Structure formats: structure tokens, C-alpha cells
Amino acid sequence: MVERFTLENAGYIAYSDMLDRLRTRFPSVPEWRLDQIVAAEHDAITGGILRIVPAEVESGAIEMLAREVESDGREDTLSDDGEVA
């Protein structure tokens, strides 16, 4: 018999849930930059389409965002002015 498992148990998370957590944790980072970082992390790990992502993508995005937010006030230079990633 095949054992059933959840996506979380397999190391996957829902893309929209991950973005919600990142927006909450990094409110000063514009949405376009969050999307850009998540896409870069996802491509580095899988190269696939963003619907369900490995949990490591969120961890990598958190590391990159934390460095940006903490570095010399760079968060002040990022704006959500319609830029496209």
C-alpha cells in the first residue's frame, strides 16, 4: 500500500502562503522585489514554475531579504513604484 503524505511532509509549501509570510516579515520590501528574489531562489533550486515550491526557497529568500534590509539602510531605496522584476 502507498503511504500518503502532505506537501509539507514532502518539503513543499504553497507559493501564496510563502509570499504572505515574506510580506509580513519584510513589510518594507516592495512586492516586485519579493517576487524577484523568490523566483531567483526557485530557479536556483528547481528551474520550474512557481505554484508549489520547495521549503528551501522560502529559507533562501529570507536570507537574501534579511541581508538587504539590514545593509546600510538599503530598504529605504526600494520602492513599489511599478517596477517589474
Side-chain angles (χ1 to χ4, degrees), residues 1 4 6 10 13 15 22-23 26 30-31 33 38 40 45-46 48-49 52 54 60 62 65-66 80 82 84:
M1 179 177 236
R4 292 187 170 246
T6 65
I13 55 176
Y15 180 68
L22 292 173
R23 282 187 201 108
F26 300 97
E31 192 166 334
R33 184 62 179 142
V38 168
I45 293 170
T46 67
I49 296 172
I52 298 173
I62 287 170
L65 289 162
D80 205 0
V84 178

Side-chain angles (χ1 to χ4, degrees), residues 23 25-30 69 75-76 78-79:
R23 282 187 201 108
R25 186 163 176 177
F26 300 97
S28 65
V29 177
V69 168
E75 65 181 309
D76 296 335
L78 296 175
S79 66

